[in-house]
Amino acid sequence: MKWLKIDKKAKTKLKILVSSVVLLSILLFVIASPNQPVNEDTTTERGPYWDKICGSNICNVLVYSGIVNYFDENNYQPIDIEIRNSNSDSYDSEITKGEYQTFFKSNSLEQQTVKYVKNSIEITLQPVALNYRNELNQEQQINSVQQVTGYSNYNEFIYENIFGNGINLKYEYWNELLKEGLIINSLNDFPSPEQNIMNGENPTL
């Protein structure tokens, strides 16, 4: 019988490989196996980026790429991104069950039209006149803010025709940020920059 000769370096690599396989097996067992007895009823534990759902003696951990749960001073709860009627005397609509809170006024001309709150820090937003600007700080007003009534559409709050016919302002609630967007239905509704604005280079809104 011939014996297979293994040098010291090969032995070290073999030990590392065996140890890695054993460690991986232990990790897989820990993840796949419940760490405590589970009742027949489904139970859920949450963190900002994960849900642990247990039932019928099986636990599954779902890990997400972004924040899905917020802390409500007691426990982590699922973020609710639907805009609802506000309990505030100053605002008409709100989202409060999330990583941050947002409040909206329906009247586009009221002061502090939109309020953003996170970690007790408040930021208020106010629509202003829509202008072209260039690098020479020259301005061309496109339209002033019109009085319109904003409305909610699930996680969006829309001020339709706020800058004139076909030019809308939209706020969209995402789990981690509030997105503001200018919606132009048709370029025919949007005036072109005047020549002096073009001559100043890099005209922007």
Side-chain angles (χ1 to χ4, degrees):
M1 177 183 292
K2 292 184 178 182
W3 294 92
L4 181 63
K5 192 172 183 180
I6 303 177
D7 58 26
K8 291 184 178 180
K9 290 183 179 180
K11 286 182 178 179
T12 302
K13 290 180 180 179
L14 183 61
K15 287 180 180 178
I16 293 173
L17 178 61
V18 171
S19 299
S20 299
V21 171
V22 171
L23 178 60
L24 179 60
S25 299
I26 293 173
L27 287 174
L28 288 175
F29 177 79
V30 170
I31 292 172
S33 303
N35 53 15
Q36 57 186 5
V38 178
N39 298 326
E40 290 298 321
D41 296 332
T42 300
T43 59
T44 303
E45 296 177 31
R46 296 184 174 91
Y49 299 93
W50 55 270
D51 291 322
K52 180 181 178 182
I53 304 171
C54 299
S56 301
N57 295 317
I58 297 176
C59 286
N60 293 310
V61 178
L62 306 177
V63 181
Y64 307 94
S65 59
I67 293 175
V68 294
N69 300 311
Y70 75 101
F71 195 73
D72 70 351
E73 299 182 356
N74 295 304
N75 299 292
Y76 279 100
Q77 302 291 345
I79 293 174
D80 182 0
I81 64 172
E82 184 175 359
I83 298 174
R84 306 180 188 279
N85 292 333
S86 179
N87 294 320
S88 166
D89 294 332
S90 303
Y91 289 88
D92 302 303
S93 302
E94 66 182 22
I95 293 181
T96 58
K97 296 179 180 180
E99 184 71 5
Y100 61 95
Q101 297 80 49
T102 308
F103 302 84
F104 303 93
K105 293 181 179 179
S106 298
N107 188 339
S108 60
L109 293 183
E110 286 193 37
Q111 295 296 310
Q112 301 180 344
T113 313
V114 178
K115 184 169 69 172
Y116 173 101
V117 182
K118 184 174 182 179
N119 298 330
S120 300
I121 297 175
E122 296 186 4
I123 300 173
T124 57
L125 306 173
Q126 182 74 37
V128 296
L130 199 59
N131 301 296
Y132 283 121
R133 293 181 178 83
N134 60 20
E135 290 191 348
L136 300 178
N137 290 324
Q138 295 173 318
E139 291 187 2
Q140 171 194 339
Q141 182 169 305
I142 299 170
N143 212 334
S144 59
V145 179
Q146 308 296 306
Q147 183 169 7
V148 298
T149 301
Y151 62 90
S152 62
N153 180 26
Y154 191 56
N155 69 323
E156 300 176 345
F157 201 88
I158 303 165
Y159 296 98
E160 193 169 346
N161 300 323
I162 189 173
F163 296 115
N165 186 45
I167 307 175
N168 311 326
L169 180 64
K170 180 177 75 172
Y171 293 93
E172 189 172 358
Y173 189 102
W174 291 6
N175 283 11
E176 298 184 52
L177 58 88
L178 181 66
K179 182 179 178 182
E180 182 184 59
L182 181 66
I183 311 300
I184 303 170
N185 293 336
S186 172
L187 290 179
N188 294 328
D189 298 324
F190 210 71
S192 300
E194 295 173 353
Q195 191 59 47
N196 68 310
I197 299 296
M198 297 297 293
N199 292 341
E201 297 185 355
N202 297 325
T204 58
L205 284 174

